[in-house]
Amino acid sequence: MIGYAEQKGSTVYVYGPNGGYIWHRVGTLLGYTSNTVTIKHGSTTYICGERGEVKATR
């Protein structure tokens, strides 16, 4: 489960519900839910899952 995601410079960091670090990815944070994080990198938007896996691209 995703607690929150935050933008630090050009990198998005994702944390669990207790505040523990889970994963990070370069790009711009567009939004997040408890199950996914949406990140834009270049002209591609990535929807990533709880473990950082890419679930979909646009």
Side-chain angles (χ1 to χ4, degrees), residues 25-55:
R25 183 178 293 267
V26 173
T28 302
L29 178 63
L30 298 180
Y32 66 92
T33 68
S34 61
N35 298 313
T36 63
V37 178
T38 304
I39 299 170
K40 183 167 183 133
H41 183 68
S43 61
T44 305
T45 300
Y46 297 90
I47 300 172
C48 301
E50 297 175 24
R51 292 179 296 279
E53 75 279 13
V54 175
K55 293 182 160 273

Side-chain angles (χ1 to χ4, degrees), residues 11-35:
T11 305
V12 176
Y13 291 86
V14 179
Y15 301 89
N18 295 324
Y21 167 82
I22 303 175
W23 56 271
H24 69 276
R25 183 178 293 267
V26 173
T28 302
L29 178 63
L30 298 180
Y32 66 92
T33 68
S34 61
N35 298 313

